[in-house]
Amino acid sequence: MEGGGRPSASQAVVLAASTAVTALLYSVYRQKARVARGLEGARKVRLDGELRAVLLEAPGRCVPYAVIEGVVQSVKDTLSSQFVENCKGVVQRLTLQEHKMVWNRTTHLWNDYEKIIHQRTNTTPFELVPAEPGAAVAVRVMKPLEAAELSLETVYEKFHPSVQSFTDVIGHYISGERPKGIQETEQMLKVGTALTGVGELVLDNATIKLQPPKQGMPYYLSSLDFESLLQKQESSVRFWKILTVVFGFASCAVLLFLLRKQYRHHRERQHLRQMQEEFRQAQERLNAEGAEVLKNACVVCLSSTKSCVFLECGHVCSCHQCYQALPEPKKCPICRQGITRVVPLYNS
């Protein structure tokens, strides 16, 4: 603690940082909990012939947050994989990712570094249809790339290592960057994939659409079933809750430590003021009694009362103990005249 009981700059920074982290974690936890509650309260709708009737009865022909499970089916054309034969899908993502080692001058270690140098996503309109063949109902999926969780399957992955000469190796060590290679990946949402969609379900003329919700809730297109998706969100909520509690306890511990330091400093200052007041009162008593005490005190020890009369000079200035302690030949401490004899002094 600094003077005045105030916390030091480092202690204030630690308290502010821990409080800010706790507030941030609590904000994330609240957001995750809101999402989990919204997902738990979403209306489960069956993809069958009664779906159109359900939407007709709903206000505005819309279910604001609905859960629907079906199988992916393209509306018109499908996308073909560039690397795998007879692999058809409705969403295709091609990614080129650079892998290299970067020298860290602080830790003096080579660290892995990854960077996406090119990515392209292709989509084609698709629907969710019942798993049972022959059903006449379908739900058009709108804006799939806006989904918070879009389940794409990796259908092709290949790593192309870098070819380096001896000169290149020397240059890489000098520059602090050592390329490892390029990874080529293709991901697809294949036709026939079982998908769980969570979003706004609306009847637009004759078309049933699943689209991003308007209330700020997340939009899901997941290969997990609804129960697994809900458990995943609840696990995320528990994780952020534990982090919030841990950092909250840490902030409380720092705050209690600073308060305890300040309380001890306050007690010390209170004790010091009490001692100063007692000393002041003692000084006042001494000032009131000091003149009389000093008048009758031995000039040698200043503690005992004068009890001797020195002759022939006649000075009364010493107690009997101090007279005995005077060196030979004994002389008066006041006038330095030799003492021939001592007469006791009796105060009545």
Side-chain angles (χ1 to χ4, degrees):
M1 303 288 284
E2 291 181 346
R6 295 185 301 273
S8 64
S10 60
Q11 292 171 341
V13 168
V14 170
L15 179 60
S18 60
T19 304
V21 171
T22 302
L24 178 61
L25 293 175
Y26 180 71
S27 175
V28 175
Y29 160 70
R30 287 286 302 273
Q31 174 66 21
K32 296 288 184 181
R34 186 180 71 87
V35 169
R37 287 195 301 269
L39 191 60
E40 188 176 5
R43 181 177 177 180
K44 295 196 68 174
V45 180
R46 293 180 58 84
L47 190 54
D48 54 20
E50 298 180 0
L51 177 58
R52 190 177 300 274
V54 170
L55 291 174
L56 286 172
E57 294 175 359
R61 297 184 177 183
C62 171
V63 178
Y65 207 47
V67 180
I68 192 163
E69 298 178 349
V71 176
V72 173
Q73 174 182 284
S74 62
V75 175
K76 293 181 181 179
D77 300 329
T78 57
L79 301 173
S80 298
S81 171
Q82 294 188 4
F83 305 98
V84 181
E85 294 183 1
N86 300 323
C87 183
K88 304 290 184 179
V90 293
V91 179
Q92 179 189 48
R93 180 171 293 163
L94 300 170
T95 305
L96 291 178
Q97 190 174 41
E98 179 187 15
H99 292 258
K100 61 183 178 180
M101 303 288 287
V102 177
W103 177 254
N104 191 318
R105 290 179 172 82
T106 303
T107 61
H108 299 285
L109 295 172
W110 288 96
N111 298 327
D112 288 323
Y113 177 79
E114 300 176 358
K115 178 183 177 182
I116 295 177
I117 57 179
H118 179 72
Q119 188 175 76
R120 186 179 76 240
T121 303
N122 303 319
T123 62
T124 188
F126 68 97
E127 300 172 331
L128 292 180
V129 298
E132 299 82 5
V137 63
V139 175
R140 178 74 59 87
V141 178
M142 311 300 293
K143 301 179 181 179
L145 298 184
E146 295 185 12
E149 183 174 330
L150 178 59
S151 298
L152 299 179
E153 179 183 350
T154 301
V155 297
Y156 176 81
E157 188 174 22
K158 186 174 181 181
F159 183 75
H160 303 276
S162 299
V163 179
Q164 304 176 15
S165 64
F166 179 76
T167 305
D168 294 334
V169 172
I170 298 300
H172 296 155
Y173 273 97
I174 295 174
S175 65
E177 293 186 0
R178 189 171 62 190
K180 296 173 63 177
I182 302 295
Q183 183 171 342
E184 189 176 16
T185 306
E186 182 182 25
Q187 296 173 298
M188 296 190 72
L189 178 58
K190 296 194 296 185
V191 173
T193 302
L195 208 63
T196 300
V198 184
E200 183 183 67
L201 201 61
V202 60
L203 178 61
D204 185 9
N205 296 327
T207 305
I208 303 175
K209 297 180 179 180
L210 179 69
Q211 59 191 17
K214 296 183 177 65
Q215 296 130 343
M217 297 299 291
Y219 182 36
Y220 292 102
L221 293 173
S222 175
S223 59
L224 299 174
D225 60 84
F226 178 69
E227 295 299 329
S228 300
L229 183 62
L230 182 59
Q231 290 178 5
K232 181 179 179 181
Q233 296 304 317
E234 291 175 345
S235 298
S236 178
V237 171
R238 286 193 295 270
F239 171 76
W240 288 102
K241 182 178 181 180
I242 291 172
L243 280 183
T244 303
V245 171
V246 169
F247 276 87
F249 274 119
S251 300
C252 291
V254 174
L255 181 60
L256 289 176
F257 173 77
L258 295 181
L259 290 177
R260 180 173 176 270
K261 284 282 189 181
Q262 192 169 9
Y263 174 73
R264 291 180 61 185
H265 180 80
H266 173 71
R267 290 290 301 273
E268 290 173 358
R269 291 188 60 186
Q270 190 176 27
H271 181 64
L272 179 61
R273 284 196 298 267
Q274 183 179 357
M275 292 179 61
Q276 289 174 342
E277 179 64 21
E278 292 177 355
F279 181 73
R280 185 185 62 79
Q281 293 175 359
Q283 279 187 324
E284 290 178 354
R285 289 196 301 268
L286 288 176
N287 291 335
E289 302 173 359
E292 185 66 25
V293 171
L294 291 176
K295 180 179 178 180
N296 296 322
C298 170
V299 298
V300 180
C301 64
L302 297 178
S303 59
S304 300
T305 305
K306 298 173 183 177
S307 59
C308 299
V309 180
F310 296 152
L311 298 175
E312 298 292 333
C313 66
H315 283 124
V316 181
C317 60
S318 173
C319 62
H320 183 71
Q321 289 81 2
C322 291
Y323 164 71
Q324 295 291 337
L326 290 175
E328 295 291 343
K330 299 183 183 297
K331 295 181 179 181
C332 175
I334 302 298
C335 63
R336 307 305 295 168
Q337 183 178 341
I339 300 173
T340 58
R341 62 194 180 102
V342 176
V343 177
L345 177 65
Y346 300 100
N347 294 319
S348 60

